Amino acid sequence: MASTTFALDVAEKALLEHGFFALDDSLVGDRIWEMEERGFPYFTEYGLDFCRQFAFDQRIRSILENSFEKCSLGHWLRYEEFPGHVECFRRGGPRAGRRVLVVHLWAKGSQVAYYVGSHLHEMATSRSRRSLYEIPLSELDRVGSKPKHKDFPDGGIVILDARLGFEIKEGYAITFLYATDEVIANWAKIVLPYSKALVEKVSDMEKESTRIGLNFAFEVSPGGKAT
C-alpha cells in the first residue's frame, strides 16, 4: 500500500473531533526501516534529509499551516512500545488549547491505540517514566473516551493533538512535535553538531515555509565561533 488518500477538510474534522488523523503509507515504513538499519543517525546529513522529507511533508504542512499562524518543530525523538500505559504529551484539555501538534511516523508492524476525544477533557495525570504524562484508565472511563486501535503493517503517519491519550502496544514511532511560539519559547533547543554541511541543510529547511520554523541550535564550531 503506497498511501491512503489525503483531504485537508477530512483531516481537520478528524483532528478536531477525534484528536487524530491516520494515513497508511508504506513509504514511511520503508524510510524508517532504512533509518533503523543505519542506527538512527538523526543529527547527520542523512538524518536531516529524513527530517526534511517528513517534517515538511505536504500533508503535514497543510494541517500545520491550517492550524497555526506560526509554529516550530521543537521535538524529534523515537518512542518505543510501552504497553499498558496511556500517555499524552500535553495535559489540560480545553484550558490548554490546541497549541501543540504531534506527528507519529510509524515503523512497519507497529500497533497503537488512540483514545478518541480525550484531548477535549481535563484529566488527572502523572509523570510517566519517559517524561510524558500518563493518564489512568479510570480517568479515561470517567470522560467516556474509548480506544481506537490502529495497526500499521507497512508503516504510516498519524497527526494528533498533543493532549490526546495514546498507548503504543507494539513497535515504535519517530515523533515530531510542533508548537506555537509562546509554547516553544520554554523548550530546550534541538542541538546539532557543527558542520558546514549541516548548517547548509538547516538553512535549506528553513526556506521550506515562512510559517513553520525550526527550534534548532548548533554546538560551538571548531574555531570557537557559536552559530
Side-chain angles (χ1 to χ4, degrees):
M1 182 182 296
S3 177
T4 47
T5 303
F6 174 80
L8 179 58
D9 58 339
V10 174
E12 180 62 22
K13 186 173 188 292
L15 198 57
L16 285 170
E17 295 179 0
H18 304 305
F20 71 99
F21 177 74
L23 286 164
D24 293 309
D25 194 327
S26 59
L27 173 62
V28 174
D30 290 341
R31 289 287 279 124
I32 291 177
W33 181 83
E34 293 172 6
M35 188 76 157
E36 181 176 342
E37 286 290 294
R38 290 171 178 256
F40 300 103
Y42 295 106
F43 303 144
T44 65
E45 291 181 63
Y46 175 86
L48 288 186
D49 284 340
F50 178 97
C51 181
R52 182 177 185 178
Q53 179 180 0
F54 294 110
F56 292 95
D57 177 281
Q58 185 56 45
R59 296 164 294 183
I60 296 169
R61 176 174 167 175
S62 64
I63 289 176
L64 291 170
E65 293 182 343
N66 189 63
S67 299
F68 303 130
E69 185 64 32
K70 193 172 186 311
C71 67
S72 293
L73 172 64
H75 188 75
W76 175 23
L77 286 177
R78 175 167 54 103
Y79 288 86
E80 297 180 332
E81 58 193 41
F82 196 15
H85 299 267
V86 180
E87 301 172 295
C88 65
F89 283 97
R90 186 172 169 84
R91 61 182 179 175
R95 177 174 54 83
R98 191 212 284 187
R99 293 184 174 88
V100 183
L101 288 178
V102 180
V103 173
H104 280 157
L105 302 175
W106 287 107
K108 294 180 179 182
S110 295
Q111 298 177 13
V112 60
Y114 291 103
Y115 279 78
V116 176
S118 56
H119 63 304
L120 301 175
H121 302 276
E122 187 161 1
M123 294 175 285
T125 62
S126 60
R127 278 289 186 179
S128 78
R129 73 180 188 192
R130 49 189 181 187
S131 297
L132 304 184
Y133 296 104
E134 187 160 348
I135 308 171
L137 290 177
S138 59
E139 283 291 277
L140 293 160
D141 289 341
R142 178 180 65 81
V143 302
S145 177
K146 303 298 182 184
K148 175 69 173 179
H149 297 276
K150 299 291 295 181
D151 295 341
F152 294 100
D154 301 311
I157 299 172
V158 175
I159 302 160
L160 62 144
D161 192 304
R163 299 168 293 173
L164 190 78
F166 62 90
E167 177 190 357
I168 303 178
K169 295 178 174 289
E170 189 171 327
Y172 66 87
I174 292 179
T175 303
F176 297 135
L177 267 69
Y178 302 83
T180 57
D181 286 351
E182 69 271 20
V183 173
I184 211 84
N186 298 315
W187 291 11
K189 297 284 188 179
I190 299 174
V191 180
L192 308 178
Y194 175 83
S195 77
K196 289 183 178 179
L198 293 188
V199 170
E200 290 175 1
K201 291 276 186 189
V202 171
S203 178
D204 288 341
M205 290 170 69
E206 290 174 334
K207 296 172 185 174
E208 289 277 355
S209 172
T210 58
R211 294 175 57 188
I212 304 172
L214 299 168
N215 192 38
F216 288 178
F218 285 96
E219 295 175 347
V220 175
S221 70
K225 183 179 178 181
T227 62

